[in-house]
Amino acid sequence: MLVKTYGGAVQGVSAKIITVEVNVDMGVGYYLVGLPDNAIKEGGHRISAALKNSGYKLPGKRITINMAPADLRKEGSSYDLSIAVGILAASGQIQAENIEYYLIMGELSLDGGLQPLKGVLPIAIEAKEQGFCGIILPEQNAKEAAIVEGLEVYGISHIRQVIEFFDRKVPLEKTVIDISEVFEKKAYDFPVDFSEVKGQDSAKRALEVAAAGGHNIILIGPPGSGKTMLAKRLPSILPVLSLKEALETTKIHSVAGKIDAGTSLITHRPYRAPHHTISDVALVGGGTFPQPGEISLAHNGVLFLDEMPEFKRTVLEVMRQPLEDRNVTISRARFTVNYPASFMLVASMNPSPSGYFPDDPNNTSSPAEMQKYLSKLSGPLIDRIDIHIEVPKVEFKHLTDTSKAERSAEIRARVLRARKIQEERFSDLPIHYNAQMGRKEIEKYCVLDEISSNLLRTAMERLSLSARAYDRILKVGRTIADMESAERVTSAHIAEAIQYRSLDRTYWSV
């Protein structure tokens, strides 16, 4: 007897429906075809033990299982449940008249229990689009899949529940999620706040400008000046995720298996801070079977590189293309996957190998040592960072100041006003904020008067700025103007934007 069940395979951040055809016939043997990997092949032993411990058994006949499409490689152990239910139905051990209306996924334990899966959200979205009535999967993943409207989601803990659902019509409990309620409860709940940062008003201002325009920023200062503390609080002043952004972000984290059990939707902008020993592949994504890297896990959020010069130069250089294109393409012989990578880069560094500014008495680095240290960051990479800001050590009077500094909510309100202006400006374009502007948009929205133009020309000549740095200054100037609700970019806005090129102005020319 032939029975078809259905599962899903993740490709990049999307999914494809997999048809599991199970045929039980006269003879003896267990045959699994359709390009399964070793985890799927080993599933035969898990399935056999799970069925036996649940009161059923593998039939002593010829079992042929085909996973279609046969030319697509299938990975992982998530097809155990699809295959097991197909075998029971094909051998007549259970009745499953409406099995074709459900997508069934799950890794079986030897006792028939189920283990959580990766990539559930894109699979659930594809199931909805392909017209399935519902999806049956481990209970740990149920809330994640339940954010897909119009799809019945059943979370189960044991294979017996699936058997009873199809064979004896015992109903399963649906998992229902109110997305608006999830957003309401968690969207504005941040564990840290800018009011906790003592002093550093200039750095706070630079971070506010960066948040308002989506600009990349690097913080330059000695140890203990608060660079990491400031970076960790940046997500708290960014606009909250829209539903579309939340779904995009959740899909990426789902594919990477980074969603906690019982979590339905990622409501905060991601904050990723990889260690400086990270490899190229771990940062941008890839591997034999490509997985999203840190830059994709930071999509719609913040990627923080602490002590940037300590990262391998090759690791930093592979970010150059994603910083411009806001996506990364990973190609293999048989397929190509695209991962989104629209993130804000926040980096930090010491001004010298000893950790201190050149005029600090504690600085023991020679000019040659400083130049060697700074040369770890290439000019093209620095050009792609819009804002460079110095973060001096915190003075004692600020550390002992008991007055409360400005809260993140107050700063976020100003950021939102600037972002709203940009959204209206770019309403007919596929961009959302100033940092995404191309040459055409810069020419249209960053028109300078004569005074501003002369000021920028002088800065370009004295600092030997590149054409890319010129564009960055104009973008930052446009953001500063938006923060003041100014129609045009003035010389004051350009002057502040030029001040945010510290590496060009001071350190890069040591």
Side-chain angles (χ1 to χ4, degrees), residues 277-433:
T277 56
I278 192 171
S279 68
D280 307 17
V281 171
L283 185 69
V284 300
T288 306
F289 305 110
Q291 288 288 300
E294 288 291 337
I295 63 172
S296 294
L297 292 171
H299 179 61
N300 290 325
V302 174
L303 177 69
F304 177 51
L305 302 184
D306 194 11
E307 299 304 335
M308 196 177 186
E310 300 302 328
F311 285 76
K312 290 185 291 185
R313 185 167 179 134
T314 55
V315 171
L316 296 177
E317 293 305 303
V318 296
M319 284 199 305
R320 283 162 56 175
Q321 178 264 329
L323 279 171
E324 291 289 325
D325 298 343
R326 299 186 182 274
N327 68 74
V328 60
T329 301
I330 300 169
S331 299
R332 295 292 179 265
R334 296 178 63 90
F335 59 89
T336 298
V337 296
N338 289 289
Y339 291 118
S342 181
F343 59 92
M344 275 185 65
L345 173 64
V346 180
S348 74
M349 62 179 287
N350 295 325
S352 67
S354 64
Y356 300 95
F357 289 110
D359 57 353
D360 193 302
N362 295 312
N363 180 41
T364 58
S365 302
S366 66
E369 289 173 330
M370 291 182 64
Q371 182 61 45
K372 183 179 179 182
Y373 176 74
L374 293 170
S375 66
K376 292 181 180 180
L377 305 180
S378 70
L381 181 60
I382 290 298
D383 274 352
R384 286 169 167 82
I385 301 177
D386 306 354
I387 297 175
H388 318 155
I389 186 70
E390 297 174 13
V391 185
K393 61 183 179 183
V394 185
E395 296 180 11
F396 181 77
K397 64 179 181 180
H398 293 307
L399 290 174
T400 55
D401 186 3
T402 57
S403 61
K404 279 289 183 181
E406 196 172 28
R407 296 176 62 249
S408 291
E410 298 169 58
I411 302 173
R412 185 170 61 245
R414 294 195 297 269
V415 169
L416 287 172
R417 284 197 294 271
R419 285 286 185 104
K420 187 176 181 181
I421 292 172
Q422 294 164 51
E423 285 177 8
E424 292 173 356
R425 176 187 300 135
F426 305 130
S427 58
D428 297 328
L429 298 171
I431 59 178
H432 306 287
Y433 43 84

Side-chain angles (χ1 to χ4, degrees), residues 24 28 34 52 59 106 126 133 137 183 203 210 223 227 246 255 272 314 325 381 390 405 417 480 490 501 510:
V24 177
V28 178
K52 184 176 180 181
E126 183 65 15
C133 293
L137 73 174
F183 264 100
K227 302 185 295 296
V255 169
R272 305 293 299 182
T314 55
D325 298 343
L381 181 60
E390 297 174 13
R417 284 197 294 271
I480 297 169
T490 67
R501 302 296 301 182
V510 169

